[in-house]
Amino acid sequence: MRKYRTMLAFAKISRFKKLIQHPAVCQLIRSLHKESIPVAWEKPKIGWTKLNFDGSSKGKAEKASIGGLFRNHKAEFLLGYAESIGRANSVIAELAALRRGLELVLENGWSDVWLEGDAKTLLHIIAKRKQVRCAEAQRHVCEINSIIPELNNCVLTHIYREGNRAADKFAKMGHWYQKPQIWEHIPPHQVLSIMHEDAEGKVLFRKIR
């Protein structure tokens, strides 16, 4: 009887090993071991204007659009923009979104500006002066670098996509329009719920390894 029980135990262990080696189970175990980090949009300081921007590039055709929005220290909507920019990869779309946002900064006379996007590559290109080979990207970088010194104060930060949802929505809306769109004071209804959650400080969780 004792020998039978021992054999039965080894059989169960063997089946268990096979189970945990199954690809689906391995994936589940890996997902459970990922850490979650909280992500939330933050309001700018009093007197500052915050721009959240984003670029969108779809599929092999690289049909691209850009968008972004400006809010004040009360999370109130000031201005939003969205437009299609033809064919471009994701890096150029992000650069174009920031460049257009900065042009609007100058047009509206904002001087203390917080710039925020969800592309780390862009942060390296602009803040850390990473070199780019693409001529079109270089043109955007040169224009961005010429505008920033004109501002009294300017910071550029990265946020995960979960905290940049409103800008992501504007960028995707850019695919819909043949002409550039501007919204002043009253945002489009498509972003109202996201903006409300941002203003309330809603925290979303992003899983990282």
Side-chain angles (χ1 to χ4, degrees):
M1 179 63 72
R2 182 176 298 175
K3 183 178 181 181
Y4 172 76
R5 287 178 178 173
T6 303
M7 292 175 60
L8 183 61
F10 277 118
K12 288 182 178 179
I13 291 172
S14 178
R15 286 198 297 272
F16 179 71
K17 286 182 177 179
K18 289 180 180 180
L19 175 62
I20 63 175
Q21 289 172 357
H22 189 280
V25 177
C26 289
Q27 180 64 32
L28 176 61
I29 293 172
R30 283 195 297 269
S31 66
L32 291 174
H33 279 80
K34 289 181 180 179
E35 293 183 7
S36 293
I37 58 172
V39 181
W41 182 83
E42 294 182 17
K43 301 173 185 176
K45 295 185 292 187
I46 295 176
W48 282 64
T49 302
K50 186 173 184 181
L51 164 64
N52 282 85
F53 62 91
D54 201 8
S56 172
S57 182
K58 288 186 174 181
K60 294 181 179 179
E62 294 186 329
K63 183 181 178 183
S65 62
I66 62 173
L69 71 161
F70 297 86
R71 285 171 280 190
N72 63 17
H73 68 281
K74 295 181 180 179
E76 295 170 336
F77 179 83
L78 302 175
L79 184 147
Y81 62 98
E83 62 182 90
S84 173
I85 60 170
R87 185 175 181 179
N89 62 32
S90 59
V91 174
I92 291 175
E94 293 283 352
L95 288 167
L98 175 55
R99 176 181 175 177
R100 180 64 182 128
L102 284 169
E103 290 170 350
L104 291 167
V105 165
L106 294 183
E107 290 176 20
N108 287 272
W110 295 314
S111 57
D112 299 311
V113 184
W114 179 359
L115 313 170
E116 188 170 72
D118 56 34
K120 285 186 177 180
T121 301
L122 184 141
L123 192 67
H124 292 308
I125 292 172
I126 302 301
K128 299 185 179 180
R129 303 287 180 173
K130 180 182 177 181
Q131 295 297 313
V132 292
R133 296 181 180 180
C134 172
E136 186 176 358
Q138 288 176 353
R139 286 195 296 272
H140 287 304
V141 171
C142 287
E143 183 65 21
I144 290 167
N145 287 334
S146 70
I147 295 175
I148 289 177
E150 296 186 39
L151 307 176
N152 286 342
N153 292 291
C154 181
V155 293
L156 173 62
T157 60
H158 169 265
I159 190 169
Y160 289 112
R161 184 167 296 277
E162 289 81 357
N164 204 41
R165 294 178 300 148
D168 177 68
K169 178 64 73 172
F170 272 100
K172 289 178 178 176
M173 287 168 57
H175 290 291
W176 306 347
Y177 303 108
Q178 294 182 347
K179 296 180 180 180
Q181 301 293 311
I182 295 288
W183 293 264
E184 294 185 271
H185 307 300
I186 301 175
H189 67 87
Q190 292 90 342
V191 299
L192 289 176
S193 61
I194 297 173
M195 288 185 57
H196 176 73
E197 290 176 350
D198 283 349
E200 293 294 316
K202 180 175 180 178
V203 176
L204 300 173
F205 289 90
R206 179 183 182 90
K207 286 190 176 293
I208 60 171
R209 292 187 182 277

